[in-house]
Amino acid sequence: MQKTDGRSWSESFATLLHPRVIAMLFLGLSAGLPILLIFSSLGLWLREAGLSRSSVTMFSWAALGYSFKFVWAPLIDRLPVPGLTDMMGRRRAWILVSQGSIIAAICWMALTDPASGGSSLTMMAMAAVLLGFSSATQDIVIDAYRIESAEQELQAMLSATYIAGYRIGMLIAGAGAIYLAESFGSSAEVYDYGAWRQAYLWMAAAMLIGVAATLVIPEPEHGRTDRHEHDTGHYLRFVALFVLAVAGFVLTFMLTAQIVDAARAALAETFGNKALAGFLVELVRLAAGIAVAGILAFAGVRGGLADRDMVVDAYVAPVHDFFERYGVALAWLLLALIGLYRISDIVLGVISNVFYQDIGFTKTQIAGTVKTFGLFMTIAGGFVGGILAARYGVIRILFVGALLTVLTNLLFILLNEVGPDIRLLYLVISADNLTAGLASAAFVAFLSSLTNVSFTAVQYAIFSSLMTLFPKIIGGYSGTIVDSVGYSNFFLIAAALGVPVLLLIVVAARRLTLKEAAEA
């Protein structure tokens, strides 16, 4: 993790034309398309259907699969897909399966009207959860594919191209879905379920771009080997253990519903803050579910349900390797940095589209400015970040990205005070998205550099899960926080959340430099 790799500017730019770098554009598109169908586009749909702001932002929790994907990453890393793995290779086979599941989930959402009453919201939530799970699974495999398909020298530019494709996918699912819904006849004044149904069906069709890319890219030449690769019995028992643990987690949530409601009401009265009470109770509930799942998994291994060595190799070895390579103190510091780096960006992003609509911008303005123009600024930022990281080193650009994120988030306060001024919106989006692209390119390259190729899928899944877990939990309450303190104070809080990250980067850079010097 050198501060600079010594490349010239021409060499840094030349990496853009590498075939593997170009391939990541299309895989990034496939990864970026589903996420806004859970976040902003779905938020506008639900808002037009008459749901409250707090209910809309709570739907963002359907994407928590992104934050827990490390739980099933070992399964994806080891399980073959019958028929497909032998024909396509392990990585490509799983990418194709996850893409099929994404298409099915989007179609399910398209065929559900959230305003129809009855169980429609439950069905929509289940479809959104399936979409989040399937999309997170695709991310696991694409991340492993990216790291295994090229050497470290190409990772910064692979990250930049991946982000460019990711943002194009977001444009398709964000501006594309919004434009289609409005052109088919739905608006804030007149809700039309049929318009949103057609828009989401078109999004499902757009995923075929990713499917086509998966069919033509080559399988990585190197990756981990599994001593149980041809032992179906070991795999089935491993899956059974996973199902047992997940069942324990789900049952814990179901059986504690009444207790949670009572505890939430009691704490709300004690603290005088309903949002804080809900957060604390759900945090304890989450910890209890994880504890039950862990106990059942431990009991299953002790009882012989799954092969102990396989479980240790899947879950313990990747973690042990990380702490062994960096040492306990530095490893925990790096994990704290990973968990907090994107908190300011994600917490604000959950409610951004609702904010634009609330202060008076139309869906057409949101789509044209935030989604379309913002896309190009993010892509530009990604390439700038990739080139600068290749030229000056990842850690320096990581700090620059974090600092700019704090500063640009403050611009939203100005936009809230001024109101629906389209010129100011362009300025805010330019600064915010350029910064987001730069920071993301550096951060993805940073995470890739921390990964051991022997544990690619699992370690990167842990890193990227940790990256979004806490921010998304906080983000789910963003609507409630805005209702309590207003938009300007919310944006100030979001910016302040990014300040500790700057200190973490400085300390981590110093520790990494000392480690490299000691190993030299």
Side-chain angles (χ1 to χ4, degrees), residues 37 45 106 110 172-173 176-184 193-206:
L37 300 180
W45 182 0
I106 296 172
I172 294 172
I178 293 171
Y179 270 129
L180 287 172
E182 186 153 40
S183 64
F184 289 143
Y193 158 62
W196 282 104
R197 180 184 61 207
Q198 292 183 67
Y200 265 61
L201 288 175
W202 275 108
M203 295 303 102

Side-chain angles (χ1 to χ4, degrees), residues 298-501:
F298 179 77
V301 173
R302 290 294 299 269
L305 177 60
D307 181 87
R308 181 183 180 279
D309 291 338
M310 191 174 186
V311 174
V312 170
D313 188 42
Y315 289 99
V316 179
V319 176
H320 179 266
D321 169 80
F322 178 71
F323 278 88
E324 186 176 49
R325 280 188 294 124
Y326 290 102
V328 174
L330 179 55
W332 279 114
L333 177 64
L334 292 172
L335 290 176
L337 173 57
I338 292 169
L340 294 176
Y341 187 78
R342 292 196 60 202
I343 186 169
S344 184
D345 179 40
I346 291 177
V347 168
L348 188 149
V350 169
I351 201 170
S352 60
N353 263 13
V354 175
F355 163 67
Y356 300 135
Q357 195 172 47
D358 282 349
I359 64 173
F361 290 109
T362 66
K363 284 206 301 297
T364 300
Q365 288 175 318
I366 294 171
T369 308
V370 179
K371 304 301 178 184
T372 307
F373 176 73
L375 164 77
F376 293 109
M377 296 306 297
T378 303
I379 291 175
F383 283 124
V384 169
I387 292 169
L388 291 178
R391 180 69 180 87
Y392 295 109
V394 170
I395 200 73
R396 289 178 177 175
I397 309 307
L398 202 67
F399 181 87
V400 172
L403 177 61
L404 291 176
T405 297
V406 172
L407 296 177
T408 54
N409 280 356
L410 294 175
L411 291 176
F412 284 85
I413 299 176
L414 177 61
L415 182 61
N416 184 53
E417 296 299 323
V418 172
D421 184 319
I422 193 67
R423 291 172 298 180
L424 181 57
L425 180 63
Y426 270 102
L427 174 63
V428 172
I429 295 305
S430 296
D432 185 59
N433 287 37
L434 190 67
T435 295
L438 184 148
S440 296
F443 193 48
V444 171
F446 175 68
L447 296 184
S448 300
S449 72
L450 299 179
T451 304
N452 185 338
V453 72
S454 297
F455 305 99
T456 311
V458 180
Q459 285 188 347
Y460 196 90
I462 292 173
F463 297 154
S464 56
S465 295
L466 183 61
M467 170 182 75
T468 59
L469 177 58
F470 187 61
K472 283 181 180 174
I473 291 175
I474 298 295
Y477 287 102
S478 58
T480 305
I481 296 172
V482 169
D483 288 340
S484 300
V485 302
Y487 275 118
S488 292
N489 288 330
F490 170 77
F491 295 138
L492 185 61
I493 292 169
L497 288 173
V499 174
V501 174

Side-chain angles (χ1 to χ4, degrees), residues 75-145:
L75 296 176
I76 305 303
D77 202 22
R78 287 159 175 76
L79 261 64
V81 180
L84 283 179
T85 296
D86 291 337
M87 183 170 58
M88 302 179 64
R90 181 170 298 183
R91 299 306 186 200
R92 293 173 64 220
W94 271 112
I95 293 174
L96 188 63
V97 167
S98 62
Q99 287 169 339
S101 184
I102 288 169
I103 292 172
I106 296 172
C107 290
W108 186 1
M109 295 174 74
L111 299 175
T112 304
D113 181 5
S116 64
S119 61
S120 61
L121 275 183
T122 301
M123 291 295 103
M124 180 64 82
M126 291 172 64
V129 168
L130 175 61
L131 180 57
F133 174 82
S134 304
S135 183
T137 300
Q138 180 185 223
D139 281 4
I140 291 170
V141 199
I142 290 179
D143 288 334
Y145 181 93

Side-chain angles (χ1 to χ4, degrees), residues 146-365:
R146 186 188 69 250
I147 295 169
E148 293 173 358
S149 65
E151 300 303 320
Q152 184 61 40
E153 290 74 15
L154 274 179
Q155 288 300 322
M157 198 53 66
L158 284 171
S159 301
T161 313
Y162 172 80
I163 290 168
Y166 198 95
R167 292 295 174 167
I168 292 172
M170 293 178 71
L171 172 67
I172 294 172
I178 293 171
Y179 270 129
L180 287 172
E182 186 153 40
S183 64
F184 289 143
S186 187
S187 66
E189 295 76 24
V190 181
Y191 169 63
D192 184 348
Y193 158 62
W196 282 104
R197 180 184 61 207
Q198 292 183 67
Y200 265 61
L201 288 175
W202 275 108
M203 295 303 102
M207 274 299 299
L208 295 176
I209 298 172
V211 172
T214 303
L215 295 175
V216 299
I217 57 174
E219 181 74 3
E221 295 179 1
H222 58 84
R224 64 163 290 125
T225 56
D226 193 343
R227 56 192 167 132
H228 300 294
E229 189 166 0
H230 301 291
D231 192 337
T232 304
H234 277 90
Y235 284 130
L236 292 177
R237 290 160 57 195
F238 193 26
V239 173
L241 181 69
F242 177 76
V243 171
L244 175 66
V246 170
F249 181 86
V250 173
L251 283 174
T252 300
F253 263 66
M254 293 175 60
L255 297 176
T256 57
Q258 292 184 344
I259 298 175
V260 164
D261 290 341
R264 185 186 293 114
L267 282 178
E269 185 175 346
T270 301
F271 294 130
N273 188 319
K274 186 177 179 181
L276 176 62
F279 172 73
L280 293 175
V281 170
E282 293 298 339
L283 192 62
V284 173
R285 191 184 192 187
L286 176 64
I290 292 173
V292 170
I295 291 170
L296 289 175
F298 179 77
V301 173
R302 290 294 299 269
L305 177 60
D307 181 87
R308 181 183 180 279
D309 291 338
M310 191 174 186
V311 174
V312 170
D313 188 42
Y315 289 99
V316 179
V319 176
H320 179 266
D321 169 80
F322 178 71
F323 278 88
E324 186 176 49
R325 280 188 294 124
Y326 290 102
V328 174
L330 179 55
W332 279 114
L333 177 64
L334 292 172
L335 290 176
L337 173 57
I338 292 169
L340 294 176
Y341 187 78
R342 292 196 60 202
I343 186 169
S344 184
D345 179 40
I346 291 177
V347 168
L348 188 149
V350 169
I351 201 170
S352 60
N353 263 13
V354 175
F355 163 67
Y356 300 135
Q357 195 172 47
D358 282 349
I359 64 173
F361 290 109
T362 66
K363 284 206 301 297
T364 300
Q365 288 175 318

Side-chain angles (χ1 to χ4, degrees), residues 45-69:
W45 182 0
L46 296 175
R47 192 74 165 142
E48 287 187 0
L51 272 72
S52 66
R53 221 177 359 236
S54 58
S55 297
V56 168
T57 55
M58 284 183 180
F59 259 80
S60 68
W61 287 335
L64 279 176
Y66 286 94
S67 300
F68 288 98
K69 59 188 178 184

